[in-house]
Amino acid sequence: MNNKNESEPMTTATNDTSQQERDDDLFSITPRHPDSRLEADWLFLYNKLPPDQWFDADYAYKTSGWLKVHTNIRKRQRILMQISDAYQNGEFDWSEYRSQILKRINMHTLKLHQHHGVEDEGFFPEFVSLYPQLQAGFEVLGHDHEYLNALLDKLQIQNDALAKSEGEDKALAKELHDTLFKVTDLLQQHLTDEEDLVIPILGLRQS
Ligand SMILES: [Fe+2]
Ligand SMILES: [Fe+2]
């Protein structure tokens, strides 16, 4: 009997906690990518400045530069996939495919390598020094850069081979298509997670 009485307040307290957690959940915002790697502990700034406020007048002058760079990366990647799809579907012949894709891949890999370098060597260490509790989150993004850079190196090697292949090489085009697809997949997840972590830092900092 005593045991039961002793256990009742605990049960009530546990229920209170669970109820509180459920209430908090109703107001917490989840990261945007369905397979986001961002953990709840890293989202304290995201909850203060959620995506629907990123373009408000108080924040846009601090957030839009980063978002615009990402918009351009997504756009270039989308165009590359469209060109590769067009060849794979038979809409482009070999000559049209090569003339459309060769220079674009060169530009894209160069710009992405530069972008990752600026983040790895400049912005990410700066953000971690401002918010050491986000270090693990920025390590996830840094590892993404390593995977992405390896994929981009592979893409560049395939593109260099394509530049030399005046005769049609369907196997090479298919390999390049598969690499592009992997880059698209990882970029979608990476850019979205990065924005969810970085944009609130930029928007909320005093500068
Ligand atoms: Fe990045
Ligand atoms: Fe980025």
Side-chain angles (χ1 to χ4, degrees), residues 5-140:
N5 284 341
E6 277 167 17
S7 71
E8 279 172 357
M10 282 182 67
T11 307
T12 307
T14 305
N15 282 342
D16 284 349
T17 305
S18 301
Q19 186 58 51
Q20 183 64 45
E21 280 169 0
R22 280 198 293 275
D23 288 347
D24 287 347
D25 275 352
L26 289 176
F27 295 102
S28 66
I29 302 162
T30 53
R32 290 168 303 151
H33 196 280
D35 299 319
S36 171
R37 287 78 41 87
L38 301 185
E39 295 182 8
D41 286 354
W42 309 338
L43 298 174
F44 54 97
L45 296 170
Y46 183 74
N47 287 324
K48 273 191 206 163
L49 188 63
D52 62 354
Q53 295 177 37
W54 290 353
F55 287 102
D56 286 0
D58 288 345
Y59 308 114
Y61 68 99
K62 294 185 271 188
T63 61
S64 59
W66 196 288
L67 291 166
K68 192 173 174 195
V69 169
H70 280 193
T71 297
N72 288 335
I73 291 170
R74 288 183 175 100
K75 185 177 171 190
R76 286 198 305 269
Q77 183 65 27
R78 191 168 56 246
I79 290 170
L80 289 175
M81 281 308 304
Q82 285 167 349
I83 295 167
S84 191
D85 279 337
Y87 173 73
Q88 294 297 325
N89 297 337
E91 294 163 39
F92 281 176
D93 65 14
W94 186 246
S95 148
E96 180 71 11
Y97 166 63
R98 285 174 77 243
S99 78
Q100 292 277 347
I101 210 162
L102 286 172
K103 283 184 185 166
R104 284 192 168 96
I105 287 181
N106 287 339
M107 174 69 74
H108 191 48
T109 56
L110 178 71
K111 287 199 167 194
L112 269 177
H113 278 308
Q114 286 172 343
H115 182 68
H116 297 156
V118 168
E119 290 177 344
D120 288 334
E121 285 151 37
F123 286 108
F124 288 1
E126 181 193 340
F127 295 150
V128 170
S129 69
L130 285 171
Y131 296 101
Q133 63 271 55
L134 295 179
Q135 179 166 1
F138 282 102
E139 280 171 9
V140 170

Side-chain angles (χ1 to χ4, degrees), residues 124-195:
F124 288 1
E126 181 193 340
F127 295 150
V128 170
S129 69
L130 285 171
Y131 296 101
Q133 63 271 55
L134 295 179
Q135 179 166 1
F138 282 102
E139 280 171 9
V140 170
L141 299 178
H143 284 137
D144 285 351
H145 288 174
E146 288 174 22
Y147 294 133
L148 275 167
N149 288 340
L151 277 175
L152 292 169
D153 288 344
K154 189 174 176 184
L155 185 66
Q156 189 60 56
I157 288 168
Q158 290 165 339
N159 200 48
D160 291 345
L162 185 65
K164 292 180 193 138
S165 300
E166 300 210 356
E168 185 163 25
D169 185 341
K170 288 185 178 175
L172 173 61
K174 181 68 173 72
E175 283 168 22
L176 195 149
H177 185 75
D178 292 344
T179 309
L180 269 180
F181 192 84
K182 286 180 191 161
V183 174
T184 297
D185 226 23
L186 183 50
L187 265 184
Q188 278 173 350
Q189 189 180 34
H190 174 74
L191 296 176
T192 308
D193 278 351
E194 185 179 296
E195 288 162 1

